[in-house]
Amino acid sequence: LEKLYIIKIGGSIIDDEIKLSAFLKDFASIEEKKILVHGGGKLATQLAMQMNVPQQMIEGRRITDSETLKIVTMVYAGYINKNIVAQLQSFGCNALGLSGADGNVIQAHKREHHLIDYGLVGDIDEINSDFIKILLDRNITIVFAPITHDKKGGLLNTNADTITQEMGKALSNYFETEMIYSFEKEGVLLDASNEESVIDKLDIKTYNTLKEKELIFAGMIPKLDNAFLALKNGVSKVVIGKAEKLKDLICGKAGTQIVND
Amino acid sequence: LEKLYIIKIGGSIIDDEIKLSAFLKDFASIEEKKILVHGGGKLATQLAMQMNVPQQMIEGRRITDSETLKIVTMVYAGYINKNIVAQLQSFGCNALGLSGADGNVIQAHKREHHLIDYGLVGDIDEINSDFIKILLDRNITIVFAPITHDKKGGLLNTNADTITQEMGKALSNYFETEMIYSFEKEGVLLDASNEESVIDKLDIKTYNTLKEKELIFAGMIPKLDNAFLALKNGVSKVVIGKAEKLKDLICGKAGTQIVND
């Protein structure tokens, strides 16, 4: 099988023009087939303030009312996505930006939760991997914004880590798929305050122990759950680490590698 | 050659949820291959006010400074484009939204003008018609936002009428291409205040006479210039008329047909 990198870029690097640009240059230089999934950064929160739309976060998730959906659609699928695509084009990478509605690539439904109403937040039902493969086979690099749709005309705000994991699962039928979650930290840290305490390899047993001891911080848990799930579902490798070290993450010189046993 | 409709939707209908939805339903029901190019509506101006970004218009064109480019990228390529795509998907039309940066489909350069600095406004250099044809051949309906790129990492605000015309020109090598400019008016009117004074057929001679007599209003002139240019460049038919009558525009029961002689 041909190799495919699915790389998530998130955290504060999205808001840092210079760091983001350096990351995109590194990303563009990857010769294998590749997909980029980006998060939102702080811009949506800033715009919401300017537009006087109050924002509510529960456990790191944005409660998405209709005005907030409008904002995230503008910021994620518009501003961030198109600027990333234009920059990749300038680095000679033929990028194409998509939301889940485009080409019906990611179909979702509004999240049902017995306690919390997350609003217009999507849980993924289906990935149109046939179409994604056609684009990849033409050497197009897809850049996904974390917005999906419900096939009934509605857009849904969707977690970018989850999109990355579902994408890995769906595409590992066609490719030897490697996932990289890149953000502002060096990797999974034993001590959250010490960037040098990176765990090189993390297996599910150690992960569960660390979770019990509450040594894994909140934002990391869904990322790691997604990572282990991806490995279970056909993805061959998952690495978590610092966006600025993308090249080292790829060749195993930095970050935390997630392993299944 | 197979038939292709390139339909521009612009004017106030973009801001009218109910009318836009009815239009998209009609559009989705077109069985032939089709492309939709949308304009911006008033939403960008509204958002600019909320964000305290002053807007300057010269001869109906928006002067695009970097803050305004951010706004139009969010509104056109984000909010409007993705909502149109999601709605078309709900009507069973496999739509895919693109800016000119995506797949390098529309390359442009910053407009040079000896008197006016339009700012980050693009004039089109090249359409990547091969890739557009590949998508159309897979029965994908492309929805273009009026944003292009310069291949150097910069996005550019670009007139949607011009995109429509350039698209028609580029694709008439592959398809029997028919262009429809739809908006809030019945068509080209002999008397701008009388919606019943629609000119059924307009040739270049009559157009020039009407222009001399100043009977053609300002916003219509670039539209018509684009229409005549498209016919000269291989497009087989151009119709201008009311978006609410899309089906009638297609079968020749409404609007103004532009003819070359």
Side-chain angles (χ1 to χ4, degrees):
Chain A
L1 289 178
E2 201 176 348
K3 187 136 195 180
L4 169 69
Y5 287 100
I6 304 181
I7 298 176
K8 153 83 197 292
I9 171 87
S12 58
I13 194 167
I14 296 271
D15 305 306
D16 186 324
E17 228 173 276
I18 292 164
K19 283 187 187 171
L20 179 61
S21 187
F23 169 86
L24 293 174
K25 202 168 180 181
D26 284 347
F27 176 82
S29 74
I30 298 172
E31 283 173 20
E32 289 87 355
K33 297 203 185 308
K34 52 197 178 291
I35 286 174
L36 185 64
V37 183
H38 63 81
K42 290 182 190 72
L43 198 61
T45 308
Q46 266 172 33
L47 185 60
M49 275 176 63
Q50 284 179 289
M51 294 175 70
N52 280 316
V53 177
Q55 295 295 288
Q56 200 192 345
M57 305 287 279
I58 296 183
E59 290 166 9
R61 306 262 167 151
R62 198 183 292 272
I63 304 298
T64 309
D65 60 12
S66 64
E67 276 304 295
T68 300
L69 181 68
K70 189 172 169 175
I71 290 168
V72 296
T73 303
M74 292 197 294
V75 172
Y76 303 167
Y79 183 73
I80 296 174
N81 192 268
K82 298 316 161 198
N83 275 292
I84 287 177
V85 168
Q87 278 200 63
L88 289 175
Q89 290 286 352
S90 79
F91 296 134
C93 167
N94 192 7
L96 179 90
L98 296 178
S99 77
D102 299 298
N104 191 26
V105 286
I106 313 172
Q107 207 175 308
H109 63 271
K110 184 180 176 304
R111 178 176 302 162
E112 301 293 341
H113 192 283
H114 63 295
L115 286 175
I116 306 164
D117 181 5
Y118 288 95
L120 301 164
V121 162
D123 284 329
I124 296 172
D125 292 318
E126 216 182 317
I127 305 262
N128 182 355
S129 49
D130 287 356
F131 181 59
I132 293 168
K133 184 175 187 304
I134 287 164
L135 294 174
L136 292 171
D137 283 346
R138 298 202 56 85
N139 286 319
I140 284 169
T141 294
I142 307 173
V143 181
F144 282 106
I147 301 286
T148 61
H149 80 137
D150 62 8
K151 253 276 186 182
K152 289 179 273 185
L155 295 167
L156 294 164
N157 188 9
T158 302
N159 183 273
D161 286 344
T162 313
I163 290 178
T164 308
Q165 177 258 313
E166 291 280 352
M167 205 56 74
K169 189 170 135 186
L171 291 168
S172 56
N173 295 317
Y174 302 110
F175 297 96
E176 188 204 323
T177 305
E178 185 166 335
M179 275 167 44
I180 296 173
Y181 287 98
S182 72
F183 62 152
E184 65 272 17
K185 300 259 170 198
E186 289 284 345
V188 184
L189 306 177
L190 254 180
D191 170 1
S193 63
N194 178 6
E195 284 284 325
E196 282 174 26
S197 68
V198 184
I199 304 167
D200 287 340
K201 280 198 183 194
L202 180 65
D203 60 30
I204 188 89
K205 249 190 192 165
T206 317
Y207 174 50
N208 286 329
T209 312
L210 291 172
K211 258 204 299 195
E212 275 165 34
K213 292 186 183 164
E214 293 177 355
L215 284 168
I216 303 267
F217 65 93
M220 197 56 120
I221 292 173
K223 225 179 272 293
L224 286 169
D225 286 341
N226 273 315
F228 284 108
L229 205 57
L231 286 174
K232 241 192 216 162
N233 286 301
V235 170
S236 57
K237 197 175 165 190
V238 182
V239 178
I240 298 183
K242 207 178 183 74
E244 288 152 274
K245 296 187 175 172
L246 181 61
K247 286 179 171 175
D248 288 343
L249 295 177
I250 287 174
C251 66
K253 281 192 218 151
T256 301
Q257 190 185 334
I258 312 301
V259 291
N260 234 345
D261 46 274
Chain B
L1 289 178
E2 201 177 349
K3 187 136 194 180
L4 168 70
Y5 287 100
I6 304 180
I7 299 176
K8 152 83 195 294
I9 172 86
S12 59
I13 194 166
I14 295 272
D15 304 307
D16 185 326
E17 228 173 276
I18 292 164
K19 282 187 188 171
L20 179 61
S21 185
F23 169 85
L24 293 173
K25 203 169 178 178
D26 284 347
F27 176 82
S29 75
I30 298 172
E31 284 173 19
E32 290 87 355
K33 298 204 184 305
K34 52 196 179 293
I35 286 174
L36 185 65
V37 183
H38 63 81
K42 291 183 189 71
L43 199 61
T45 308
Q46 266 172 35
L47 185 60
M49 275 175 63
Q50 283 179 292
M51 294 175 71
N52 281 316
V53 177
Q55 295 295 289
Q56 199 192 348
M57 306 286 282
I58 296 184
E59 290 167 8
R61 307 260 167 152
R62 197 183 293 272
I63 304 298
T64 308
D65 60 13
S66 65
E67 276 303 296
T68 300
L69 181 68
K70 189 172 170 176
I71 290 169
V72 297
T73 303
M74 292 198 293
V75 173
Y76 302 168
Y79 182 73
I80 297 175
N81 191 269
K82 297 316 163 199
N83 274 291
I84 287 177
V85 167
Q87 278 200 62
L88 288 175
Q89 290 286 353
S90 79
F91 297 133
C93 167
N94 192 9
L96 180 91
L98 297 178
S99 77
D102 299 297
N104 191 25
V105 285
I106 313 173
Q107 207 175 308
H109 63 271
K110 184 179 177 304
R111 178 176 302 162
E112 300 294 338
H113 192 283
H114 63 295
L115 286 175
I116 306 164
D117 181 6
Y118 286 95
L120 301 164
V121 162
D123 284 329
I124 297 173
D125 292 317
E126 215 182 320
I127 304 262
N128 182 354
S129 49
D130 287 355
F131 180 59
I132 294 168
K133 183 174 188 301
I134 287 164
L135 294 174
L136 291 171
D137 284 346
R138 299 202 56 84
N139 286 318
I140 284 169
T141 294
I142 307 172
V143 180
F144 282 106
I147 301 286
T148 61
H149 80 137
D150 62 8
K151 254 275 187 181
K152 291 179 271 185
L155 296 166
L156 294 163
N157 188 11
T158 303
N159 182 273
D161 287 343
T162 312
I163 290 178
T164 308
Q165 178 257 311
E166 291 280 353
M167 206 54 73
K169 189 169 134 186
L171 291 168
S172 55
N173 295 319
Y174 303 110
F175 298 96
E176 186 203 325
T177 305
E178 185 167 334
M179 275 168 41
I180 297 173
Y181 287 97
S182 72
F183 63 151
E184 65 271 16
K185 299 259 173 200
E186 288 285 344
V188 184
L189 306 177
L190 254 180
D191 170 1
S193 64
N194 177 7
E195 284 285 323
E196 280 173 27
S197 67
V198 185
I199 305 167
D200 286 341
K201 280 199 182 193
L202 180 65
D203 59 30
I204 188 88
K205 247 191 193 165
T206 316
Y207 173 51
N208 286 330
T209 312
L210 290 173
K211 260 205 297 195
E212 276 165 33
K213 291 186 182 166
E214 293 179 355
L215 282 168
I216 302 267
F217 66 92
M220 196 57 120
I221 291 173
K223 224 179 271 297
L224 286 169
D225 286 342
N226 273 316
F228 284 109
L229 205 57
L231 286 175
K232 241 191 216 164
N233 286 302
V235 170
S236 57
K237 198 175 163 187
V238 181
V239 178
I240 297 183
K242 207 178 182 74
E244 287 152 276
K245 295 188 175 172
L246 180 61
K247 285 179 172 177
D248 289 343
L249 295 177
I250 287 174
C251 66
K253 282 192 215 152
T256 300
Q257 191 185 330
I258 312 301
V259 291
N260 234 346
D261 47 276

